[in-house]
Amino acid sequence: MHVVVVGCGRVGAGVARTLEEGGHSVAVVDRRAKAFERLPEGFSGNTVVGVGFDRDRLIAAGIEQATALAAVTNGDNSNILVARVARETFGIERVVARIYDPRRAKIYERLGIPTIATVEWATERVLQRVLPDRPTSEWIDASAKVLLVERPVTSAWAGKKVVDLDVLGHARISAITRLGQGSVAGPDTVLQEGDVLHVTVSGDSIELFDQHLAGPAPKAGH
């Protein structure tokens, strides 16, 4: 897949490096050419000098062929503007914006734009939003038998209950993040598209749960 990274600071450079190492094509946009010196030697992705919300600069970065965009400059206003242009003008679904002000973050989450506040900021958190299929775990017990993983709710499961998605003896939905707000999940909690699931799963059952999540949801009455 092709990913556009706007902002080549420490996090932006780290995200670009990891994506390229994972076999993805990457374009990095920054208003200062000197910022590209943070990229690793031999970086083969595209670099574009300019502001990230300039449509021409985004087109030069391959936004029309992109699957995802990460806006990780040091300015809230710039990041959210970039994210909105990517989402509303170019139809990019996987968009994440770095936001310093947690109050703003909540507002933009409600607009459907995933944000990461600085208190929880890390390259790994960006990659989880840009590459939701990326293998990752939030927590692993000492024996490595039980893990806590994040998974997005697909449209097929919207309107279904948590109990329908639990896999007895293998995986259980522990909590849900919705519009930036976390809550403990109960069996009758109704899922919404865009929810982020926090799933407690056996180490050898991750593939089983992912197949269940990717499959058809049960019909009403079943």
Side-chain angles (χ1 to χ4, degrees):
M1 58 185 282
H2 180 61
V3 181
V4 176
V5 178
V6 179
C8 196
R10 179 179 56 83
V11 173
V15 169
R17 181 189 66 249
T18 303
L19 287 169
E20 186 176 61
E21 290 174 350
H24 303 287
S25 66
V26 188
V28 184
V29 182
D30 198 287
R31 65 176 62 208
R32 297 184 307 111
K34 187 174 178 61
F36 300 133
E37 295 177 2
R38 294 189 178 94
L39 294 168
E41 185 177 353
F43 178 74
S44 61
N46 188 17
T47 55
V48 178
V49 178
V51 293
F53 48 81
D54 184 309
R55 297 181 186 184
D56 290 338
R57 297 295 82 202
L58 289 174
I59 290 173
I63 189 72
E64 294 171 312
Q65 293 77 45
T67 305
L69 176 141
V72 293
T73 74
N74 60 4
D76 285 6
N77 292 336
S78 295
N79 287 338
I80 202 61
L81 184 54
V82 170
R84 293 193 64 177
V85 169
R87 174 71 61 81
E88 297 169 11
T89 301
F90 295 100
I92 305 299
E93 293 186 3
R94 296 181 184 175
V95 174
V96 61
R98 180 183 191 176
I99 301 296
Y100 286 84
D101 185 344
R103 294 169 299 179
R104 288 185 177 184
K106 292 180 180 179
I107 294 172
Y108 296 130
E109 288 279 1
R110 293 189 177 97
L111 292 175
I113 299 175
T115 62
I116 304 293
T118 52
V119 292
E120 58 174 336
W121 188 253
T123 300
E124 183 65 25
R125 301 292 291 178
V126 181
L127 292 167
Q128 286 181 30
R129 299 295 187 264
V130 171
L131 304 172
D133 297 329
R134 174 182 169 85
T136 185
S137 58
E138 297 297 298
W139 171 85
I140 305 176
D141 83 307
S143 66
K145 297 293 185 181
V146 179
L147 301 86
L148 184 68
V149 300
E150 281 190 4
R151 293 294 186 270
V153 172
T154 62
S155 58
W157 285 94
K160 304 302 180 182
K161 294 182 178 180
V162 163
V163 68
D164 296 324
L165 195 50
D166 287 340
V167 181
L168 189 62
H170 295 278
R172 175 172 294 178
I173 313 305
S174 303
I176 294 176
T177 298
R178 177 177 296 165
L179 299 176
Q181 299 293 320
S183 64
V184 176
D188 293 326
T189 300
V190 177
L191 302 170
Q192 294 183 12
E193 185 176 3
D195 285 350
V196 176
L197 304 174
H198 306 275
V199 188
T200 303
V201 59
S202 299
D204 56 0
S205 299
I206 295 179
E207 184 175 354
L208 173 67
F209 177 76
D210 284 342
Q211 290 174 349
H212 179 51
L213 181 62
K219 296 180 179 179
H222 290 262

mmCIF file of all heavy atoms in Angstrom, residues 2 4 7 22 32 41-42 50 59 61 75 95 104 107 112 118 124 132 134 136 138 142 146 149 174 192 213 217:
data_model
loop_
_atom_site.group_PDB
_atom_site.id
_atom_site.type_symbol
_atom_site.label_atom_id
_atom_site.label_comp_id
_atom_site.label_asym_id
_atom_site.label_seq_id
_atom_site.Cartn_x
_atom_site.Cartn_y
_atom_site.Cartn_z
ATOM 1 N N HIS A 2 0.278 2.381 -0.387
ATOM 2 C CA HIS A 2 1.004 3.653 -0.408
ATOM 3 C C HIS A 2 0.475 4.540 0.711
ATOM 4 O O HIS A 2 -0.737 4.687 0.888
ATOM 5 C CB HIS A 2 0.817 4.355 -1.759
ATOM 6 C CG HIS A 2 1.534 5.666 -1.866
ATOM 7 N ND1 HIS A 2 2.906 5.766 -1.761
ATOM 8 C CD2 HIS A 2 1.073 6.944 -2.035
ATOM 9 C CE1 HIS A 2 3.269 7.037 -1.878
ATOM 10 N NE2 HIS A 2 2.172 7.770 -2.033
ATOM 11 N N VAL A 4 0.959 8.349 2.787
ATOM 12 C CA VAL A 4 1.514 9.701 2.812
ATOM 13 C C VAL A 4 1.701 10.104 4.270
ATOM 14 O O VAL A 4 0.766 10.021 5.069
ATOM 15 C CB VAL A 4 0.588 10.705 2.101
ATOM 16 C CG1 VAL A 4 1.144 12.125 2.236
ATOM 17 C CG2 VAL A 4 0.436 10.331 0.627
ATOM 18 N N GLY A 7 4.815 15.667 7.730
ATOM 19 C CA GLY A 7 5.615 16.022 8.898
ATOM 20 C C GLY A 7 6.770 15.051 9.046
ATOM 21 O O GLY A 7 6.553 13.843 9.186
ATOM 22 N N GLY A 22 8.505 -2.341 6.018
ATOM 23 C CA GLY A 22 7.434 -3.322 5.897
ATOM 24 C C GLY A 22 6.997 -3.581 4.464
ATOM 25 O O GLY A 22 6.038 -4.316 4.229
ATOM 26 N N ARG A 32 10.038 22.011 5.283
ATOM 27 C CA ARG A 32 11.480 22.282 5.290
ATOM 28 C C ARG A 32 12.225 21.098 4.687
ATOM 29 O O ARG A 32 12.117 19.975 5.196
ATOM 30 C CB ARG A 32 11.976 22.525 6.710
ATOM 31 C CG ARG A 32 11.358 23.761 7.382
ATOM 32 C CD ARG A 32 11.953 24.005 8.759
ATOM 33 N NE ARG A 32 11.886 22.826 9.606
ATOM 34 C CZ ARG A 32 12.951 22.116 9.980
ATOM 35 N NH1 ARG A 32 14.166 22.469 9.595
ATOM 36 N NH2 ARG A 32 12.786 21.072 10.760
ATOM 37 N N GLU A 41 19.389 6.667 5.895
ATOM 38 C CA GLU A 41 20.198 6.642 4.682
ATOM 39 C C GLU A 41 19.666 5.568 3.748
ATOM 40 O O GLU A 41 19.364 4.455 4.165
ATOM 41 C CB GLU A 41 21.658 6.360 5.041
ATOM 42 C CG GLU A 41 22.608 6.436 3.862
ATOM 43 C CD GLU A 41 24.049 6.231 4.275
ATOM 44 O OE1 GLU A 41 24.308 6.155 5.497
ATOM 45 O OE2 GLU A 41 24.913 6.147 3.384
ATOM 46 N N GLY A 42 19.512 5.917 2.491
ATOM 47 C CA GLY A 42 19.003 4.951 1.530
ATOM 48 C C GLY A 42 17.483 4.932 1.423
ATOM 49 O O GLY A 42 16.922 4.094 0.706
ATOM 50 N N GLY A 50 6.776 21.296 1.068
ATOM 51 C CA GLY A 50 5.584 22.132 1.015
ATOM 52 C C GLY A 50 4.699 21.878 2.210
ATOM 53 O O GLY A 50 4.998 21.021 3.054
ATOM 54 N N ILE A 59 -1.022 15.824 -4.018
ATOM 55 C CA ILE A 59 -1.066 15.071 -5.280
ATOM 56 C C ILE A 59 0.341 14.662 -5.700
ATOM 57 O O ILE A 59 0.571 13.534 -6.158
ATOM 58 C CB ILE A 59 -1.745 15.918 -6.377
ATOM 59 C CG1 ILE A 59 -3.243 16.065 -6.067
ATOM 60 C CG2 ILE A 59 -1.541 15.280 -7.752
ATOM 61 C CD1 ILE A 59 -3.983 17.014 -6.993
ATOM 62 N N ALA A 61 2.639 13.963 -3.760
ATOM 63 C CA ALA A 61 3.029 12.879 -2.850
ATOM 64 C C ALA A 61 2.274 11.589 -3.135
ATOM 65 O O ALA A 61 2.480 10.584 -2.446
ATOM 66 C CB ALA A 61 2.780 13.312 -1.406
ATOM 67 N N GLY A 75 1.912 21.024 14.705
ATOM 68 C CA GLY A 75 0.810 21.964 14.888
ATOM 69 C C GLY A 75 -0.550 21.299 14.787
ATOM 70 O O GLY A 75 -0.843 20.624 13.794
ATOM 71 N N VAL A 95 -6.994 7.634 8.159
ATOM 72 C CA VAL A 95 -6.342 8.915 8.437
ATOM 73 C C VAL A 95 -6.146 9.034 9.943
ATOM 74 O O VAL A 95 -7.035 8.697 10.724
ATOM 75 C CB VAL A 95 -7.215 10.094 7.938
ATOM 76 C CG1 VAL A 95 -6.605 11.418 8.354
ATOM 77 C CG2 VAL A 95 -7.375 10.039 6.422
ATOM 78 N N ARG A 104 -9.344 19.272 21.946
ATOM 79 C CA ARG A 104 -9.563 19.247 20.504
ATOM 80 C C ARG A 104 -9.646 17.811 20.006
ATOM 81 O O ARG A 104 -10.436 17.500 19.107
ATOM 82 C CB ARG A 104 -8.419 19.953 19.784
ATOM 83 C CG ARG A 104 -8.403 21.463 19.927
ATOM 84 C CD ARG A 104 -7.294 22.039 19.080
ATOM 85 N NE ARG A 104 -7.261 23.495 19.114
ATOM 86 C CZ ARG A 104 -6.429 24.222 18.397
ATOM 87 N NH1 ARG A 104 -5.559 23.637 17.594
ATOM 88 N NH2 ARG A 104 -6.447 25.532 18.482
ATOM 89 N N ILE A 107 -13.069 16.418 20.095
ATOM 90 C CA ILE A 107 -13.943 16.989 19.068
ATOM 91 C C ILE A 107 -13.710 16.302 17.727
ATOM 92 O O ILE A 107 -14.658 15.913 17.033
ATOM 93 C CB ILE A 107 -13.703 18.506 18.940
ATOM 94 C CG1 ILE A 107 -14.137 19.219 20.226
ATOM 95 C CG2 ILE A 107 -14.452 19.067 17.728
ATOM 96 C CD1 ILE A 107 -13.757 20.688 20.259
ATOM 97 N N GLY A 112 -15.055 11.745 13.342
ATOM 98 C CA GLY A 112 -14.630 10.532 12.650
ATOM 99 C C GLY A 112 -13.180 10.515 12.240
ATOM 100 O O GLY A 112 -12.771 9.673 11.429
ATOM 101 N N THR A 118 -0.544 13.774 22.717
ATOM 102 C CA THR A 118 0.871 13.616 23.043
ATOM 103 C C THR A 118 1.094 12.737 24.266
ATOM 104 O O THR A 118 2.131 12.097 24.389
ATOM 105 C CB THR A 118 1.525 14.987 23.294
ATOM 106 O OG1 THR A 118 0.748 15.689 24.257
ATOM 107 C CG2 THR A 118 1.582 15.785 22.025
ATOM 108 N N GLU A 124 4.426 3.625 17.300
ATOM 109 C CA GLU A 124 3.620 2.410 17.227
ATOM 110 C C GLU A 124 2.134 2.728 17.180
ATOM 111 O O GLU A 124 1.360 2.066 16.486
ATOM 112 C CB GLU A 124 3.922 1.510 18.429
ATOM 113 C CG GLU A 124 3.185 0.176 18.430
ATOM 114 C CD GLU A 124 3.592 -0.726 17.275
ATOM 115 O OE1 GLU A 124 4.718 -0.587 16.760
ATOM 116 O OE2 GLU A 124 2.770 -1.565 16.885
ATOM 117 N N PRO A 132 -4.238 -1.004 10.319
ATOM 118 C CA PRO A 132 -5.004 -1.702 11.352
ATOM 119 C C PRO A 132 -4.808 -3.211 11.363
ATOM 120 O O PRO A 132 -5.118 -3.864 12.354
ATOM 121 C CB PRO A 132 -6.457 -1.334 11.005
ATOM 122 C CG PRO A 132 -6.431 -0.887 9.593
ATOM 123 C CD PRO A 132 -5.083 -0.280 9.368
ATOM 124 N N ARG A 134 -1.910 -4.556 11.166
ATOM 125 C CA ARG A 134 -0.555 -4.782 11.683
ATOM 126 C C ARG A 134 -0.615 -5.611 12.966
ATOM 127 O O ARG A 134 -1.323 -5.240 13.909
ATOM 128 C CB ARG A 134 0.102 -3.433 11.962
ATOM 129 C CG ARG A 134 1.464 -3.492 12.648
ATOM 130 C CD ARG A 134 1.941 -2.065 12.895
ATOM 131 N NE ARG A 134 3.099 -2.003 13.760
ATOM 132 C CZ ARG A 134 4.351 -2.126 13.347
ATOM 133 N NH1 ARG A 134 4.570 -2.359 12.075
ATOM 134 N NH2 ARG A 134 5.362 -2.034 14.186
ATOM 135 N N THR A 136 -0.127 -6.640 16.482
ATOM 136 C CA THR A 136 0.300 -5.860 17.630
ATOM 137 C C THR A 136 -0.450 -6.297 18.860
ATOM 138 O O THR A 136 -1.527 -6.883 18.773
ATOM 139 C CB THR A 136 0.078 -4.357 17.397
ATOM 140 O OG1 THR A 136 0.609 -3.614 18.491
ATOM 141 C CG2 THR A 136 -1.393 -4.020 17.259
ATOM 142 N N GLU A 138 -1.446 -4.970 23.018
ATOM 143 C CA GLU A 138 -1.387 -3.924 24.026
ATOM 144 C C GLU A 138 -0.775 -4.444 25.318
ATOM 145 O O GLU A 138 -0.193 -3.693 26.090
ATOM 146 C CB GLU A 138 -2.805 -3.404 24.295
ATOM 147 C CG GLU A 138 -3.480 -2.757 23.096
ATOM 148 C CD GLU A 138 -2.736 -1.525 22.649
ATOM 149 O OE1 GLU A 138 -2.628 -0.571 23.435
ATOM 150 O OE2 GLU A 138 -2.245 -1.514 21.515
ATOM 151 N N ALA A 142 2.681 -12.799 31.654
ATOM 152 C CA ALA A 142 4.051 -13.296 31.849
ATOM 153 C C ALA A 142 4.315 -14.615 31.128
ATOM 154 O O ALA A 142 5.439 -14.899 30.711
ATOM 155 C CB ALA A 142 4.339 -13.448 33.341
ATOM 156 N N VAL A 146 -1.878 -15.247 27.235
ATOM 157 C CA VAL A 146 -3.032 -14.356 27.077
ATOM 158 C C VAL A 146 -2.548 -12.992 26.619
ATOM 159 O O VAL A 146 -1.558 -12.468 27.146
ATOM 160 C CB VAL A 146 -3.811 -14.225 28.410
ATOM 161 C CG1 VAL A 146 -5.000 -13.273 28.231
ATOM 162 C CG2 VAL A 146 -4.296 -15.588 28.892
ATOM 163 N N VAL A 149 -5.439 -7.276 22.556
ATOM 164 C CA VAL A 149 -5.187 -6.720 21.234
ATOM 165 C C VAL A 149 -6.288 -5.723 20.873
ATOM 166 O O VAL A 149 -7.389 -5.764 21.436
ATOM 167 C CB VAL A 149 -5.119 -7.825 20.151
ATOM 168 C CG1 VAL A 149 -4.007 -8.806 20.461
ATOM 169 C CG2 VAL A 149 -6.457 -8.551 20.016
ATOM 170 N N SER A 174 -13.175 -6.959 26.042
ATOM 171 C CA SER A 174 -13.023 -6.418 27.396
ATOM 172 C C SER A 174 -13.474 -4.975 27.493
ATOM 173 O O SER A 174 -14.074 -4.564 28.490
ATOM 174 C CB SER A 174 -11.563 -6.526 27.843
ATOM 175 O OG SER A 174 -11.121 -7.862 27.787
ATOM 176 N N GLN A 192 -20.765 -0.380 17.185
ATOM 177 C CA GLN A 192 -20.930 0.605 16.126
ATOM 178 C C GLN A 192 -19.701 0.575 15.225
ATOM 179 O O GLN A 192 -18.584 0.331 15.691
ATOM 180 C CB GLN A 192 -21.084 2.018 16.706
ATOM 181 C CG GLN A 192 -22.350 2.229 17.511
ATOM 182 C CD GLN A 192 -22.479 3.656 18.005
ATOM 183 O OE1 GLN A 192 -21.761 4.553 17.577
ATOM 184 N NE2 GLN A 192 -23.413 3.879 18.919
ATOM 185 N N LEU A 213 -14.052 -12.178 13.162
ATOM 186 C CA LEU A 213 -14.340 -10.763 12.970
ATOM 187 C C LEU A 213 -14.478 -10.422 11.486
ATOM 188 O O LEU A 213 -15.291 -9.578 11.103
ATOM 189 C CB LEU A 213 -13.234 -9.908 13.603
ATOM 190 C CG LEU A 213 -13.380 -8.396 13.516
ATOM 191 C CD1 LEU A 213 -14.631 -7.916 14.248
ATOM 192 C CD2 LEU A 213 -12.140 -7.710 14.124
ATOM 193 N N ALA A 217 -21.513 -11.452 10.176
ATOM 194 C CA ALA A 217 -22.116 -11.371 11.503
ATOM 195 C C ALA A 217 -23.393 -12.209 11.510
ATOM 196 O O ALA A 217 -24.032 -12.402 10.476
ATOM 197 C CB ALA A 217 -22.427 -9.928 11.853
#
